[in-house]
C-alpha cells in the first residue's frame, strides 16, 4: 500500500496518480491553445474591419486588398477616356465607391476648361441632368465660383467624423473656406459634373499620388468592398 508521501512501500511511484496528473495538464494546455487561437482570430478580424471603418489617420489603409477607386456610375453622355480616370462630355459621374470613412480627400485636375463642378453626390445623382448642387442629391463647387486655368487642381475634403458634416474645397492646395458646405447627410460618393467641353482628371484614392497633400487627418477614398 502507498505511504502518506504518495509512494509504495518499495519506493516506486504511484503510476495511476501520475497518469491522471499528466492528462489534466494536457487538457489544460489544449484549452489554453484553443483560447489563444480564438483570440488571434477575433483580433485579426477587428484589425481588418478597423482598416476600413476607423479612419482617424491620414495614411491610406487599403483594406480592400488593392481594389482601386475609379469612375463608377455616370450619365449616358459622359465620356471616360485616357487611363479611365478622365471625365468629359456632359452630365454627372460618380466614383466607384461611396465615402465610408470619417475623413476623405480627393482631387480633380482641370485638363480642359469649360463648365464643371466637383463635390459629392448620392447614388441617384448619376442619372440627373445638369451640374452638382442643382438638386438635393448633390453638393459641389462650380467652375464659376473659382478663377481656374487648365492644369489647376481642385481638392475636395469631406469630413463626416464630426457634426455637422463639412465639405471643403482647395484650389492648388489653398483652402477655399468661403465655399464650405455643411450638414450633408447619408451615403455619398465623390462626384464630378461636366459640360461645355470641360475635361477633368480624377484621383480618388491617391493610388497614383495626389498633387497636393491631403489635410491633416484625411486620406484618399478607401474601397471597403472586402469588409465582408
Amino acid at each position: 500500500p502507498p505511504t502518506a508521501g504518495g509512494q509504495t512501500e518499495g519506493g516506486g511511484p504511484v503510476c495511476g496518480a501520475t497518469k491522471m496528473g499528466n492528462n489534466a495538464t494536457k487538457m489544460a494546455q489544449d484549452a489554453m491553445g484553443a483560447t489563444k487561437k480564438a483570440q488571434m482570430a477575433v483580433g485579426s478580424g477587428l484589425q481588418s474591419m478597423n482598416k476600413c471603418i476607423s479612419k482617424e489617420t491620414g495614411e491610406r489603409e487599403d483594406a480592400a486588398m488593392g481594389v482601386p477607386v475609379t469612375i463608377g456610375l455616370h450619365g449616358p453622355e459622359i465620356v471616360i477616356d485616357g487611363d479611365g480616370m478622365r471625365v468629359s462630355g456632359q452630365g454627372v459621374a460618380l466614383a466607384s465607391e461611396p465615402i465610408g470613412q470619417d475623413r476623405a480627400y480627393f482631387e480633380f485636375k482641370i485638363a480642359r476648361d469649360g463648365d464643371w463642378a466637383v463635390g459629392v453626390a448620392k447614388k441617384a445623382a448619376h442619372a440627373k441632368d445638369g451640374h452638382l448642387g442643382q438638386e438635393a442629391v448633390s453638393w459641389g463647387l462650380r467652375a464659376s465660383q473659382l478663377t481656374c486655368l487648365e492644369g489647376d487642381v481642385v481638392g475636395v475634403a469631406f469630413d463626416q467624423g464630426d457634426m455637422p458634416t463639412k465639405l471643403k474645397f482647395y484650389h492648388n492646395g489653398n483652402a477655399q473656406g468661403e465655399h464650405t458646405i455643411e450638414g450633408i447627410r447619408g451615403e455619398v460618393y465623390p462626384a464630378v459634373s461636366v459640360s461645355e467641353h470641360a475635361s477633368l482628371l480624377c484621383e480618388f484614392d491617391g493610388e497614383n499620388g495626389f498633387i497636393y497633400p491631403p489635410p491633416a487627418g484625411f486620406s484618399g477614398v478607401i474601397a471597403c468592398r472586402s469588409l465582408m
Side-chain angles (χ1 to χ4, degrees):
T3 64
Q7 293 185 343
T8 63
E9 291 181 353
V14 181
C15 295
T18 301
K19 288 182 179 180
M20 289 176 65
N22 289 341
N23 288 340
T25 300
K26 187 175 185 303
M27 290 174 65
Q29 291 174 340
D30 290 344
M32 290 176 64
T35 300
K36 186 175 181 180
K37 288 180 179 179
Q39 290 173 339
M40 290 175 65
V42 171
S44 177
L46 289 174
Q47 185 179 30
S48 296
M49 290 178 67
N50 284 338
K51 286 184 178 181
C52 255
I53 61 176
S54 75
K55 309 112 188 159
E56 298 82 27
T57 71
E59 298 178 3
R60 181 174 183 272
E61 298 182 273
D62 192 357
M65 299 183 295
V67 176
V69 182
T70 59
I71 303 296
L73 294 171
H74 55 80
E77 296 184 51
I78 285 288
V79 177
I80 309 298
D81 54 17
D83 58 358
M85 296 297 289
R86 188 187 301 268
V87 177
S88 59
Q90 183 168 332
V92 176
L94 309 182
S96 58
E97 298 286 337
I99 300 174
Q101 66 215 79
D102 283 351
R103 297 173 180 87
Y105 175 81
F106 41 99
E107 286 182 343
F108 301 90
K109 182 177 181 180
I110 303 171
R112 187 172 63 243
D113 201 11
D115 198 4
W116 50 263
V118 297
V120 298
K122 294 185 180 295
K123 192 173 184 178
H126 80 278
K128 302 290 184 180
D129 293 328
H131 283 279
L132 302 180
Q134 292 183 334
E135 296 190 42
V137 291
S138 64
W139 301 262
L141 178 69
R142 194 82 176 265
S144 58
Q145 295 176 275
L146 285 179
T147 301
C148 291
L149 302 173
E150 292 183 1
D152 283 3
V153 175
V154 181
V156 182
F158 184 56
D159 184 353
Q160 57 184 353
D162 297 308
M163 292 295 174
T165 59
K166 292 182 176 66
L167 183 65
K168 301 178 181 180
F169 302 95
Y170 298 81
H171 179 209
N172 292 336
N174 299 310
Q176 305 296 305
E178 67 273 23
H179 298 303
T180 298
I181 299 171
E182 296 186 357
I184 298 170
R185 295 179 178 274
E187 183 180 74
V188 293
Y189 293 71
V192 56
S193 60
V194 290
S195 67
E196 298 180 11
H197 310 293
S199 177
L200 274 67
L201 185 62
C202 311
E203 183 63 38
F204 297 126
D205 55 12
E207 182 69 23
N208 299 312
F210 291 122
I211 297 176
Y212 293 93
F218 287 74
S219 66
V221 179
I222 300 172
C224 292
R225 281 180 285 173
S226 68
L227 186 60
M228 297 300 290

